[in-house]
Amino acid sequence: MNTNLLYGDFFMEFCFNKYFSIFTKILDNMTFQPIVPMIWTRQLHETVDFYCDILGFTCGNYNEDWGWAAVHKDQCEIMIARPNEHTPFETPYFSGTFYIKTNDVTKLWETIKDKVEVAYELDDFDWGMREFAIYDNNKYMLQFGQDLWKKE
């Protein structure tokens, strides 16, 4: 029997468990903040206007020289940027959607439905959400939803 192999396996497992324990303690003391998407566009000013004028966001930061802005509404924040020269960019793209929860999706729908390009209309879904989806001025899809089972 090769005892070096046994001791080596024991040592490796001990090191892994010790490292994992320390790593877990670090993560336990860390909090994640809400995800803040950064969308790319060549239409910085127009995009800020869309989010502020149509959706009621506030522009917290805008820097034309940097080609960057940040808009927010309540706990929702979106950064908007022109792609830099190191980033291949032809047209805005995102393989998913941006899902924004709200406490009154029906009121939001009634307020904006005639001012935007609609992806799908307000509807109640089997999974307990009332939602609709629109496209922003760059064709990014934004879904808005309200939990029908959650008591406000």
Side-chain angles (χ1 to χ4, degrees), residues 126-139:
D126 293 340
W127 49 87
M129 295 298 289
R130 175 174 292 148
E131 60 186 50
F132 69 91
I134 65 169
Y135 296 102
D136 77 359
N137 63 305
N138 299 287
K139 304 298 184 209

Side-chain angles (χ1 to χ4, degrees), residues 23-150:
F23 185 70
T24 302
K25 287 179 184 174
I26 291 170
L27 288 180
D28 285 345
N29 294 324
M30 180 187 346
T31 58
F32 284 11
Q33 302 295 316
I35 291 175
V36 179
M38 181 170 320
I39 60 175
W40 291 344
T41 181
R42 295 202 191 284
Q43 303 174 346
L44 185 65
H45 189 282
E46 295 86 347
T47 302
V48 169
D49 285 349
F50 176 88
Y51 282 86
C52 294
D53 296 345
I54 304 293
L55 298 178
F57 281 67
T58 299
C59 184
N61 293 293
Y62 185 93
N63 190 310
E64 186 67 37
D65 292 336
W66 295 349
W68 179 87
V71 297
H72 63 88
K73 179 167 178 49
D74 304 315
Q75 298 174 5
C76 182
E77 182 179 0
I78 300 173
M79 292 188 285
I80 305 163
R82 284 194 195 100
N84 64 41
E85 64 274 3
H86 306 291
T87 306
F89 181 82
E90 291 181 29
T91 183
Y93 63 92
F94 182 70
S95 63
T97 68
F98 298 102
Y99 197 97
I100 302 170
K101 292 182 178 180
T102 181
N103 65 344
D104 196 345
V105 73
T106 303
K107 182 178 180 180
L108 179 61
W109 168 252
E110 291 300 328
T111 303
I112 70 170
K113 68 181 181 178
D114 297 326
K115 302 174 187 174
V116 296
E117 181 183 348
V118 175
Y120 64 87
E121 295 184 2
L122 183 69
D123 201 359
D124 293 348
F125 292 91
D126 293 340
W127 49 87
M129 295 298 289
R130 175 174 292 148
E131 60 186 50
F132 69 91
I134 65 169
Y135 296 102
D136 77 359
N137 63 305
N138 299 287
K139 304 298 184 209
Y140 289 112
M141 184 186 282
L142 309 173
Q143 290 177 274
F144 295 90
Q146 180 178 0
D147 189 340
L148 294 173
W149 299 331
K150 182 179 178 182

